Amino acid sequence: MLDYDDFPRLISIVNSAPTNIVEYPVRLETFSAKNKYVGLDSELNHVEGTYSILIEAWRDYLETGRSFYREYFIGGQTKEELIDEIN
């Protein structure tokens, strides 16, 4: 998740879904420790893709003012092009 100051946050979700959390303008799928997405045993094989999703959704939030839940990178632009638009 990205907060309204563009800081990434990992939060614990119990008995809820990321789509129900409105305190963050950018929300992603959950990262379960048992799948090795986070924690000491994380393989970190998703970091580059997660980064692409975050900057794309942040750009969309800045353009529209709407919050976004994303599970994947839509594409069409490079990360550099997205960052240029954000800046």
Side-chain angles (χ1 to χ4, degrees), residues 57-80:
W58 183 251
R59 187 273 324 261
D60 293 346
Y61 162 71
L62 292 175
E63 284 183 350
T64 67
R66 295 180 25 231
S67 64
F68 288 89
Y69 171 78
R70 292 279 169 81
E71 293 182 2
Y72 53 88
F73 181 62
I74 294 173
Q77 292 177 291
T78 67
K79 288 180 286 193
E80 292 77 17

Side-chain angles (χ1 to χ4, degrees), residues 30 38 48 68 71 82 86:
T30 58
V38 295
E48 194 65 29
F68 288 89
E71 293 182 2
L82 291 167
I86 289 169

Side-chain angles (χ1 to χ4, degrees), residues 28-43:
L28 298 179
E29 64 179 319
T30 58
F31 296 101
S32 175
K34 68 181 179 181
N35 292 336
K36 297 185 179 181
Y37 288 136
V38 295
L40 294 176
D41 294 326
S42 176
E43 296 174 359

Side-chain angles (χ1 to χ4, degrees), residues 7-20:
F7 288 105
R9 305 286 183 205
L10 285 176
I11 64 169
S12 177
I13 299 175
V14 179
N15 298 325
S16 188
T19 54
N20 296 332

